[in-house]
Every structure is written in C-alpha cells, then in structure tokens.
Amino acid sequence: MTDQTPSAAGVPDTIRFEFSGHRPEDAVRDLAGVYGGDVAGAARWVARPTDGTFDHRYTALGDTEVTIRRAQLHGALHGVVPAGGDHVVLWVGTGRVEIEQHALPLEVPVLLPADQEFAFRTADHDLRIVHLDRALVRRVAGLRGDVGEHELRFDTHRELGPEAAGRWRDTLTALARALRAGGTESAAWQEAKSAALEVFLDLFPPVLDDLPAVLGQPRNARLRAAVEYVHDHASEPISISDLSAASGLSVRSVQESFRRVFDVSPLTYLRQVRLDRVRAELTTADPQAGAVGDVARRWGFAHLGRFSAAYAERFGEYPKETLRRSVH
C-alpha cells in the first residue's frame, strides 16, 4: 500500500507506504522500485531464498523531508543502487549487509553513499533506515555554518563509536514516538525532525575541500565557480564545456584560468582531485576487501594501470601500499 498525501502549500507531503511478499521476484520489484532507480537498474538486482523460504516487508512513514523506514528480509538480495536521491542513514539490527564488499557493523549508524552508485549484498536482515531530503540537509548545514556555497560532501567511511550509536538510537526513538503521538503535522514531529538533522550533521559533518586562498580574489570569482564544480561533481563525467557553463567563462578562458592559477589544465586538476578522493577512501578501507579497483572506478579511473602510475606519481607510493597501511 502506498500513500503520499498532499499537504498545504509550503508544507511537506506525508509519506506512508508498505509492501510485503513471499517471492524473490516480488522483492526485486518492490525494493528496486524504491532504490533501483529505473527498470534498467532493477535488472541488476537479484533475490533468492537462503534456507528454502523467502519473505520481505518494507514500511515507510514520515514526510518528503524525513522518513523513517524498516526493511525486513528473510532471504538474500544483492544489486546496485544508483547515485542521487536522499541522504540515507542505515542501522543494521540483525543480518549481514555489505556495501562495496565492506561488511557493516551491527547497531551503528552508517551513512550510505549518495553521490555515486554502489553495490550492496545483504542476507536475513532487519534494518532501520532514515531518509533525509538533500535540500533540507543543505539548508540546515548552511544555517549552522557547516558549509560554504557548494554542494555537501560526506565521508561515508566515517566510523562511529558507542556514544554516537546511542545518540542515533535515541533519534530513531524520538522520530517514531512523534509520529505515533501526532503524525507528520504535529509540533512534536517538527521538533523531532529538527533534532534528527542536528544529530545527523554532528555525527556526519560535511567534508569541506580546502580551496586555495587565491580563489578568494575578486578576479578569480568565475574560476572559483569552475573549481567548486570540479569538487562537487568529481565522481561524474566532467568536460571543459561543463566547467564553462558552471563558471560563465568561455572554454578558452577556462583553460587559460586554470593554467594561470594552478599551472595545469582543467582536466589535470580534475584528475588530481579524483586521486585525492581515492587516497582518502583507501586510507580508511578494509585491506582484505581488495578495494583499489572498485574505488578507482567510482572516481572515474577506467584504466587501472594508468591510474596506478598517476597515483604513485602524486603520492610517492602505489595505491595497494596505501591500502595496506589503512587504519583498519
């Protein structure tokens, strides 16, 4: 059953839906409909029984800004979730969940990747999920002074301890209690949402890219827009024409500006940013997961041999060496 109830102008619509089933094909249809993106995305999802039986249940309640959800599965499921959509915090109560071959801990909040597609694998799970609207998170982060003008970026590999887990568990409890007490139009729900966003930004503070001070000069304002576009969209295909459109500079001026300030071409600057992002992930990745190729591809490096050479040139070591020295 699905329900999206229109609200008054300026008030978020109510979200309420539930589905369940006993066949793997039903789970793929239902769950990929929420997370798979489209029909082509659903084709990359597979479900199967784990012990001869299979069932799934999924519920969602809240509004278009914040929803609390529960996903239960007796069986196995794997697939690929496309980039985009809400910021999603996952709490694994029981079962096994892997994101990009990395097993998630039990009863600890984990932020799922939002700006790049990711592969997942799960079995016999009971999950508590909170969806947070991107625009709302951006607005609250701006009011808190957590971010500048460009898009938010979060560290999805951030590991949280018992105190953080307790804060998020209390947040889940408060959201559920507010919905039971008065629904999405109540003052209690608005207060619980505001508190949830504050806790979210405390536990997962935005990652701010340190841009060179020279970009603060008035003459470099348009170049700064192009640089911010690179940082905000580094995992996506980017052309010089994209940078031209983002900055209001001609293609030639974009090239000349990057040369003047950074002494590299725009695409070389993009490659450096991507290499920095790969290194940041590898320093916290599980060395047993064999993550180098997957991380490199997520950041736009299709040819792993050339990537490895560029990485070694920039950092003085090969990516597998970084992975072996990771914090795990």
Side-chain angles (χ1 to χ4, degrees), residues 21-280:
H22 300 280
R23 300 187 304 168
E25 56 267 34
D26 293 338
V28 168
R29 180 200 64 212
D30 294 339
L31 295 170
V34 177
Y35 295 106
D38 52 25
V39 174
R44 296 191 287 176
W45 287 48
V46 176
R48 60 175 176 80
T50 51
D51 60 6
T53 61
F54 184 97
D55 62 78
H56 74 285
R57 182 183 184 87
Y58 187 100
T59 59
L61 182 61
D63 59 32
T64 48
E65 292 183 335
V66 177
T67 56
I68 56 174
R69 307 178 183 214
R70 186 174 185 181
Q72 298 165 287
L73 176 75
H74 181 197
L77 179 70
H78 68 266
V80 176
V81 177
D86 297 330
H87 295 298
V88 178
V89 181
L90 190 67
W91 176 281
V92 183
T94 60
R96 180 173 178 82
V97 178
E98 294 182 3
I99 302 296
E100 294 292 344
Q101 301 180 325
H102 177 66
L104 302 187
L106 295 178
E107 298 189 343
V108 174
V110 175
L111 180 61
L112 297 183
D115 298 317
Q116 57 201 45
E117 74 171 24
F118 63 89
F120 74 92
R121 185 176 297 271
T122 180
D124 300 323
H125 66 236
D126 188 351
L127 311 177
R128 306 286 178 156
I129 308 165
V130 176
H131 280 233
L132 303 166
D133 176 69
R134 276 174 173 265
L136 178 63
V137 171
R138 178 69 180 78
R139 187 162 66 248
V140 173
L143 291 173
R144 286 166 47 114
D146 289 348
V147 67
E149 294 296 324
H150 46 91
E151 291 298 315
L152 295 183
R153 184 167 66 87
F154 294 97
D155 179 9
T156 58
H157 296 276
R158 182 180 177 84
E159 294 190 352
L160 303 178
E163 181 180 353
R167 289 190 68 190
W168 192 251
R169 183 172 53 247
D170 292 344
T171 297
L172 291 172
T173 300
L175 287 169
R177 183 182 295 124
L179 285 174
R180 287 195 300 269
T184 59
E185 297 183 1
S186 67
W189 172 244
Q190 300 306 317
E191 292 174 5
K193 282 200 314 182
S194 296
L197 286 158
E198 294 290 338
V199 173
F200 171 77
L201 289 168
D202 286 345
L203 300 187
F204 302 100
V207 177
L208 301 180
D209 295 301
D210 292 327
L211 301 182
V214 67
L215 293 177
Q217 297 177 5
R219 67 179 296 212
N220 293 325
R222 291 190 176 185
L223 174 60
R224 181 186 179 94
V227 170
E228 289 182 346
Y229 186 90
V230 168
H231 284 269
D232 293 342
H233 301 273
S235 66
E236 306 167 20
I238 296 178
S239 68
I240 297 179
S241 295
D242 294 327
L243 300 183
S244 173
S247 63
L249 294 168
S250 68
V251 167
R252 182 175 179 178
S253 293
V254 168
Q255 294 170 323
E256 292 175 345
S257 296
F258 272 86
R259 286 287 183 190
R260 172 175 56 83
V261 174
F262 302 113
D263 198 27
V264 296
S265 71
L267 297 185
T268 297
Y269 184 89
L270 169 61
R271 184 181 66 179
Q272 292 173 347
V273 171
R274 287 173 169 170
L275 288 169
D276 291 344
R277 300 286 175 84
V278 171
R279 185 174 179 81

